[in-house]
């Protein structure tokens, strides 16, 4: 009997009709896996061995009753067949500490999705620098002079933090430069934090596309997240609306550029963010939109993910 540990935010707080973690749990349960629910504070290492305090979980595709939890028990994490790390950002020191525990679990036998070391190495904004041929003009800097020069060059720029999600802390500074100094001071904490600057892409009006990658291969449909009136952010968490679409040729080209590196790094379930023809982020922590794509296109992304996980398990 295969057992899946799921490290996530409080399960009672999720939105079951749109939660990708629930979709993955439902797919595993359908295949006969036993589920164990954990939160980051339930994990620890003792004398080099990774442990967790987990609860047996049963999940349901029901908006009002989507989970039941059983008895709590102490688990040797390395004895689990696989562990899904689905804790949402912020990617802070506590998140990093959790990856240390999960790396020990991986070395002791569990398949961790996504690989703990790669979660640490592949910041969701900065990882695009490995694929400059796919991305718009992008700068990672903390020095105000450098960030101002980028704005002077491109005229219309998006500034955002490295560690947030859901459109949090995203600012657009237009050609007039209004509030540029305040934006840079706030985001960099007066030069103490590295931030991202990207040339503004007017194609955002047609949607910020989420392309889900399973073991380096794209799901054939994406979810275009279209900003609400007056917004530059398409994130659903920022009020954007979702529209499922087939991938374009350019989308597939970007996926082909990124996919082999995802496979090499053990990043089995990843979300690419594409605006127009450009890759803007690579989401490795807890990519979403599977439920919306499944509902619109008849796909089963959870099953695709567990096909990939099943292939990896006999190798361990």
């Amino acid at each position: 009997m295969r057992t899946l540990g799921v490290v996530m935010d409080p399960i009672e707080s999720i939105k079951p009709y749109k939660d990708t973690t629930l979709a993955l749990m439902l797919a595993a349960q359908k295949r006969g896996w036993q589920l164990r629910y954990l939160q980051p504070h339930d994990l620890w290492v003792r004398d080099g061995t990774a442990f967790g305090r987990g609860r047996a979980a049963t999940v349901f595709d029901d908006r009002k009753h989507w989970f039941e939890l059983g008895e709590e028990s102490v688990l040797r994490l390395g004895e689990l067949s696989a562990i899904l790390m689905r804790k949402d950002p912020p990617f802070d020191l506590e998140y990093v500490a959790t990856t240390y525990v999960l790396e020990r679990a991986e070395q002791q036998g569990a398949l961790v999705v996504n690989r703990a070391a790669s979660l640490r190495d592949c910041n969701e904004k900065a990882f695009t620098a490995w694929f400059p041929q796919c991305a718009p003009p992008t700068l990672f800097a903390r020095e105000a002079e450098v960030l101002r020069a980028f704005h002077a060059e491109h005229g219309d720029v998006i500034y955002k933090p490295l560690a947030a999600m859901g459109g949090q802390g995203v600012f657009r500074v237009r050609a007039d430069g209004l509030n540029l100094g305040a934006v840079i001071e706030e985001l960099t904490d007066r030069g103490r934090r590295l931030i991202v600057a990207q040339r503004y892409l007017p194609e955002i009006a047609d949607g910020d596309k989420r392309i889900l990658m399973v073991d380096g291969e794209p799901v054939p449909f994406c979810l275009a997240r279209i900003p609400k009136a007056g917004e530059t952010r398409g994130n659903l968490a920022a009020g954007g609306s979702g529209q499922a679409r087939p991938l374009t040729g350019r989308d597939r080209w970007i996926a082909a550029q990124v996919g082999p590196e995802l496979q090499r790094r053990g990043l089995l379930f990843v979300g690419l963010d594409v605006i127009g023809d450009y890759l803007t982020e690579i989401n490795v922590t807890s990519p979403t939109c599977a439920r919306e794509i499944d509902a619109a296109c008849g796909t089963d992304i959870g099953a695709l993910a567990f096909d990939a996980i099943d292939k990896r398990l006999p190798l361990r």
Side-chain angles (χ1 to χ4, degrees):
M1 179 72 70
R2 287 177 170 173
T3 305
L4 177 71
V6 184
V7 181
M8 60 184 292
D9 291 296
I11 193 169
E12 66 273 13
S13 68
I14 68 173
K15 296 178 180 177
Y17 64 93
K18 62 180 293 185
D19 192 85
T20 295
T21 303
L22 180 62
L24 294 169
M25 295 171 78
L26 286 165
Q29 183 174 269
K30 187 175 181 180
R31 293 180 181 220
W33 288 58
Q34 293 182 340
L35 304 179
R36 296 291 182 268
Y37 161 72
L38 309 100
Q39 294 185 61
H41 65 253
D42 294 319
L43 310 182
W44 70 91
V45 173
R46 170 68 188 268
D47 299 328
T49 301
F51 292 93
R53 186 174 290 105
R55 299 182 68 180
T58 304
V59 290
F60 309 93
D61 194 4
D62 186 323
R63 292 190 178 205
K64 295 184 178 179
H65 178 68
W66 61 91
F67 73 98
E68 292 178 359
L69 298 179
E71 293 185 4
E72 185 177 87
S73 61
V74 173
L75 312 168
R76 287 180 178 261
L77 297 181
E79 294 178 356
L80 297 171
S81 305
I83 301 171
L84 296 183
M85 174 51 168
R86 293 285 304 177
K87 173 71 177 69
D88 284 343
F91 192 91
D92 54 14
L93 187 57
E94 283 306 303
Y95 194 106
V96 171
T98 301
T99 69
Y100 294 147
V101 181
L102 294 177
E103 189 166 9
R104 294 302 302 153
E106 185 174 29
Q107 292 173 353
Q108 290 156 10
L111 174 66
V112 178
V113 180
N114 287 315
R115 184 182 295 162
S118 294
L119 288 176
R120 292 197 301 273
D121 289 347
C122 301
N123 175 273
E124 304 196 321
K125 276 76 170 177
F127 195 26
T128 60
W130 273 246
F131 310 97
Q133 72 276 22
C134 302
T138 304
L139 170 71
F140 300 93
R142 58 175 61 85
E143 186 178 343
E145 182 180 348
V146 175
L147 291 160
R148 284 180 175 277
F150 188 83
H151 181 267
E153 179 182 355
H154 294 288
D156 198 349
V157 174
I158 294 292
Y159 293 94
K160 53 189 176 181
L162 283 178
M165 62 167 285
Q168 297 172 7
V170 176
F171 294 90
R172 178 185 179 186
V173 181
R174 300 173 189 259
D176 61 9
L178 186 64
N179 291 326
L180 175 59
V183 168
I184 291 173
E185 288 175 8
E186 177 68 21
L187 290 180
T188 67
D189 191 19
R190 297 183 180 273
R192 287 186 281 268
R193 284 198 296 260
L194 198 75
I195 66 168
V196 190
Q198 281 181 334
R199 178 170 62 80
Y200 174 72
L201 299 171
E203 297 91 336
I204 184 63
D206 191 45
D208 180 356
K209 293 179 284 188
R210 167 59 54 83
I211 300 171
L212 290 174
M213 302 284 289
V214 179
D215 202 10
E217 295 293 331
V219 173
F221 301 93
C222 66
L223 191 75
R225 296 160 298 170
I226 301 168
K228 67 180 181 180
E231 266 285 359
T232 58
R233 302 171 298 171
N235 310 75
L236 300 182
S241 59
Q243 182 183 104
R245 299 174 184 169
L247 300 189
T248 66
R250 174 71 177 187
D251 294 338
R252 292 182 180 277
W253 179 82
I254 291 172
Q257 296 292 301
V258 178
E261 185 66 9
L262 300 181
Q263 288 182 311
R264 188 184 74 80
R265 291 176 181 262
L267 294 167
L268 266 68
F269 193 70
V270 170
L272 308 183
D273 287 352
V274 173
I275 299 174
D277 288 338
Y278 296 101
L279 175 69
T280 60
E281 294 188 14
I282 302 174
N283 291 268
V284 301
T285 52
S286 55
T288 60
C289 298
R291 299 279 273 178
E292 293 90 339
I293 295 171
D294 283 348
C297 303
T299 50
D300 189 344
I301 295 169
L304 292 176
F306 274 88
D307 286 344
I309 289 170
D310 283 340
K311 288 178 184 177
R312 295 289 181 107
L313 287 178
L315 303 178
R316 300 186 67 78

